[in-house]
Amino acid sequence: MSEQELTERLINGIITRLQNEINEWSNNVRLRAEAELLDGVKAVIDKYSSTLENVDKELNMEREYRLYDEMMKGKRERLKILEDAYAEVVRRIKERISSMRGTDDYKKFLKNSIVWAMSIIGSRELVITVSKVDEDLAREISTELGLNATINTMDEDILGAIVASADGSIRVDATLDSRLRLMEHQIKTLLANLASSG
């Protein structure tokens, strides 16, 4: 039942009750009936106006609750879509970079990762950790950059490098995963803007 039907039913009920009371009073003596009628109508109006007020408040509260609930549901759905889109973007970026292994583009990516980490550490004496598949490439880049670097490998397939100072006091995660985490907010904002402009 809609709010309008509920309100109409309530008003019709009040009108019916008022008519019944008016008919009953009109059977009494005229003067007394008029006085009673006026008092009765006033009492009935007072009684039902507060009932109507309460119903109105309840309807408004119910409406506000439903609006809030729908708004929150919409936000949750939008957030889930945004998270799914972000995960898909990250997956595709990883696939793309991974598929570049063995190319000059991947060499540039790994070199840029090492140079970025080196600029943070502020030294050319480094410990560079890469995936086993990137070991030879890391040595080549280290030689090209004139670094005094120890190259370590790990079984985990990382894209990029983890670079540390020779004494291990500074460690920079220059892997693709880490850099994507740093850019997560930017990527999600971009996706949200694209979604709202589409």
Side-chain angles (χ1 to χ4, degrees):
M1 179 176 298
S2 73
E3 294 170 5
Q4 185 176 347
E5 289 172 333
L6 184 65
T7 305
E8 285 176 7
R9 181 184 277 184
L10 186 62
I11 290 169
N12 287 337
I14 292 168
I15 290 170
T16 301
R17 286 182 187 170
L18 278 172
Q19 285 173 340
N20 290 342
E21 287 187 29
I22 289 168
N23 289 337
E24 185 181 310
W25 290 322
S26 67
N27 292 332
N28 293 334
V29 181
R30 277 274 181 224
L31 292 175
R32 193 169 138 205
E34 284 178 14
E36 286 179 5
L37 180 62
L38 287 174
D39 289 343
V41 167
K42 187 178 180 303
V44 170
I45 288 171
D46 288 347
K47 177 181 172 185
Y48 287 107
S49 68
S50 69
T51 303
L52 278 172
E53 238 174 73
N54 289 339
V55 168
D56 224 17
K57 283 179 188 173
E58 285 177 28
L59 287 172
N60 283 335
M61 282 175 59
E62 177 68 18
R63 189 180 303 119
E64 284 174 24
Y65 172 77
R66 285 184 185 170
L67 284 172
Y68 175 79
D69 194 44
E70 287 301 314
M71 185 178 71
M72 292 311 291
K73 193 159 114 186
K75 282 187 177 184
R76 281 191 299 272
E77 286 172 10
R78 183 178 163 84
L79 188 60
K80 171 143 182 20
I81 290 167
L82 193 60
E83 288 296 330
D84 291 347
Y86 172 73
E88 180 64 16
V89 166
V90 166
R91 186 186 67 75
R92 287 186 182 193
I93 291 170
K94 286 177 168 181
E95 279 179 4
R96 176 75 178 113
I97 300 291
S98 187
S99 72
M100 289 167 42
R101 274 197 166 120
T103 68
D104 284 342
D105 286 337
Y106 185 77
K107 182 179 178 181
K108 284 178 193 170
F109 165 75
L110 186 58
K111 187 175 185 177
N112 287 340
S113 297
I114 293 169
V115 168
W116 176 71
M118 183 179 69
S119 71
I120 293 170
I121 294 169
S123 172
R124 300 183 87 70
E125 293 185 21
L126 305 169
V127 176
I128 301 172
T129 305
V130 293
S131 288
K132 282 183 180 176
V133 291
D134 293 333
E135 181 178 8
D136 293 339
L137 185 57
R139 287 188 195 290
E140 183 184 323
I141 291 168
S142 176
T143 302
E144 284 177 14
L145 294 172
L147 303 176
N148 180 12
T150 302
I151 308 296
N152 292 333
T153 62
M154 62 190 320
D155 291 332
E156 184 184 343
D157 186 23
I158 60 170
L159 297 165
I162 298 169
V163 184
S165 57
D167 64 2
S169 62
I170 304 172
R171 181 180 178 274
V172 177
D173 187 339
T175 61
L176 180 63
D177 281 339
S178 174
R179 294 170 89 177
L180 285 172
R181 280 194 298 274
L182 290 172
M183 294 175 65
E184 180 176 352
H185 179 72
Q186 285 174 271
I187 295 169
K188 285 182 178 177
T189 301
L190 178 63
L191 288 170
N193 289 339
L194 287 171
S196 63
S197 67

